[in-house]
Amino acid sequence: MRAHRLIERVQKEQRTVYYGIKKPKPLIVITPTYVRTFQAMYLTGLMHSLMLVPFDFTWLVVEAGGVSNETASILDRSHLNYVHVPFDEGKKMPMEWGERRKMEARMRLHALRVVREKKMDGIVVFADDSNIHSTEMFDEIQKVKHIGAISVGFLTHSDIEEENHSIPIQGPECTPSGKFVGMQTLDPSSNKLEWAGFVLSSRLLWENVEERPTWVQNIDDLEIESPLALLKDASYVEPLGNCGKKILVWWIRSEARADSKFPAGWVIDSPSKSPLPSGHSSSTSDYLTRLRHDKMNNTNKEHMERHLDGKIYLRRD
């Protein structure tokens, strides 16, 4: 325990020196989700990433179609400080990608309204359940004053990749002096940006507060597809991760078929009915028992043959 406390103190001092974190801000992690084949795998991975966060945080999990037992059971096992928020009771997540993207944007806006109504104070992080986060990101975002942009790498095949098959990236672009000039996007002809590439101060959402900048839009006035649309002037974006040169978030763009079947909680209730090797029709346990008996018989036979030749052998079991 003493060694653990020493290591913890050293890490705290390193954050103070390297990142300038003297008084860390709490985090507000927003995750839209819905029941599907890969949900348990993705949510469990994100859950374990959040367990490594060295700061206080609240996990706002917004579920399409309302609160489900499947999602609740995963969250309960995490023992994290979470709030399970229902969205559009009875309305399931659309199967079509474009419509699903729009609904997830509305789910995030719903979570932002919860943050505003409860006046939750901290840094808002948009963490999809299929994201993989570098632990460095949680230190890096402590630098944010208003709204920051980080680079996101996409682990997927894309038709818009360059000929050299480079990994698609969304992130901030800067001048040599480090000033933000725009966003590198997957598709330059589109204004659609992924929420995972942005973090912001929750105070930007608060109403009737003096510190709220005038260049921030009201989230009730528009339907937005990325946090960048919250700003009247994008020049206020703060580039993070060495001005976008470091990829701090990865997004696995992979899902199972919408009609795929999966065991609830990934628990198989009954033994597998897979066929046994050729020539055996009994149960798996009988088959394994017979293998053990055959091995013992062969071993005993070998033991007697060794003694009949009049020599003494040492056998290693």
Side-chain angles (χ1 to χ4, degrees):
M1 291 300 296
R2 183 183 179 188
H4 176 77
R5 286 192 294 268
L6 287 172
I7 293 172
E8 186 179 24
R9 181 61 184 271
V10 169
Q11 291 174 337
K12 184 177 180 180
E13 292 298 327
Q14 286 175 332
R15 291 189 181 95
T16 302
V17 174
Y18 187 78
Y19 294 100
I21 304 173
K22 295 181 179 179
K23 189 178 180 181
K25 305 170 188 174
L27 306 182
I28 304 166
V29 183
I30 294 177
T31 301
T33 190
Y34 61 103
V35 177
R36 63 196 190 282
T37 302
F38 284 0
Q39 185 198 31
M41 177 181 69
Y42 283 151
L43 265 185
T44 301
L46 176 58
M47 174 181 73
H48 283 274
S49 294
L50 294 178
M51 288 178 179
L52 299 175
V53 175
F55 313 115
D56 293 334
F57 70 89
T58 301
W59 190 13
L60 282 181
V61 181
V62 187
E63 183 171 7
V67 173
S68 69
N69 292 332
E70 290 87 347
T71 304
S73 63
I74 298 173
L75 298 179
D76 287 340
R77 290 197 301 270
S78 72
H79 301 293
L80 298 174
N81 181 28
Y82 72 87
V83 179
H84 197 174
V85 182
F87 181 77
D88 271 1
E89 294 283 355
K91 186 175 181 181
K92 295 183 178 180
M93 181 67 73
M95 293 177 58
E96 201 273 324
W97 166 244
E99 294 301 315
R100 191 166 75 233
R101 180 189 177 93
K102 292 178 181 178
M103 186 168 181
E104 287 178 342
R106 293 196 297 271
M107 293 166 70
R108 296 184 187 98
L109 282 173
H110 181 64
L112 291 179
R113 294 187 185 103
V114 173
V115 173
R116 180 187 61 186
E117 292 168 5
K118 295 183 178 296
K119 278 200 171 182
M120 300 174 67
D121 195 9
I123 301 172
V124 177
V125 182
F126 299 100
D128 289 1
D129 55 12
S130 57
N131 291 158
I132 300 174
H133 299 81
S134 166
T135 54
E136 182 183 354
M137 186 202 79
F138 299 106
D139 292 315
E140 182 73 14
I141 63 177
Q142 288 288 334
K143 301 176 181 178
V144 170
K145 183 178 180 182
H146 295 302
I147 182 169
I150 55 181
S151 289
V152 183
F154 297 85
L155 303 178
T156 180
H157 170 75
S158 175
D159 294 333
I160 58 176
E161 292 181 15
E162 299 178 2
E163 292 183 358
N164 60 358
H165 302 290
S166 60
I167 296 175
I169 296 173
Q170 172 192 296
E173 293 186 335
C174 305
T175 63
S177 62
K179 184 179 179 181
F180 176 79
V181 294
M183 292 292 295
Q184 176 184 352
T185 63
L186 294 177
D187 185 359
S189 63
S190 174
N191 293 324
K192 295 179 180 178
L193 297 170
E194 297 304 326
W195 292 68
F198 296 92
V199 294
L200 57 91
S201 169
S202 63
R203 291 175 179 260
L204 295 183
L205 309 170
W206 292 6
E207 294 180 322
N208 304 320
V209 290
E210 294 181 358
E211 62 263 36
R212 188 173 186 270
T214 57
W215 40 265
V216 178
Q217 304 265 30
N218 191 315
I219 58 176
D220 291 329
D221 295 341
L222 70 165
E223 288 290 334
I224 62 175
E225 292 193 356
S226 77
L228 202 59
L230 280 170
L231 310 182
K232 298 176 183 177
D233 186 354
S235 64
Y236 288 96
V237 172
E238 305 155 41
L240 301 174
N242 195 14
C243 221
K245 294 178 181 178
K246 292 183 179 180
I247 298 179
L248 300 177
V249 182
W250 295 91
W251 183 27
I252 304 177
R253 296 178 61 175
S254 176
E255 292 291 349
R257 286 169 50 105
D259 59 349
S260 63
K261 304 298 181 182
F262 63 99
W266 294 95
V267 175
I268 301 175
D269 296 328
S270 58
S272 173
K273 302 299 182 182
S274 301
L276 295 170
S278 176
H280 298 277
S281 58
S282 58
S283 67
T284 304
S285 59
D286 291 341
Y287 175 67
L288 294 176
T289 301
R290 185 160 55 252
L291 283 179
R292 285 194 295 269
H293 285 311
D294 291 345
K295 183 178 180 181
M296 290 177 63
N297 291 335
N298 291 335
T299 301
N300 291 335
K301 182 178 180 181
E302 183 182 8
H303 176 81
M304 292 182 66
E305 289 174 351
R306 285 176 175 175
H307 281 75
L308 287 175
D309 64 6
K311 295 181 181 179
I312 298 176
Y313 293 86
L314 294 176
R315 186 179 68 232
R316 296 177 181 176
D317 294 330

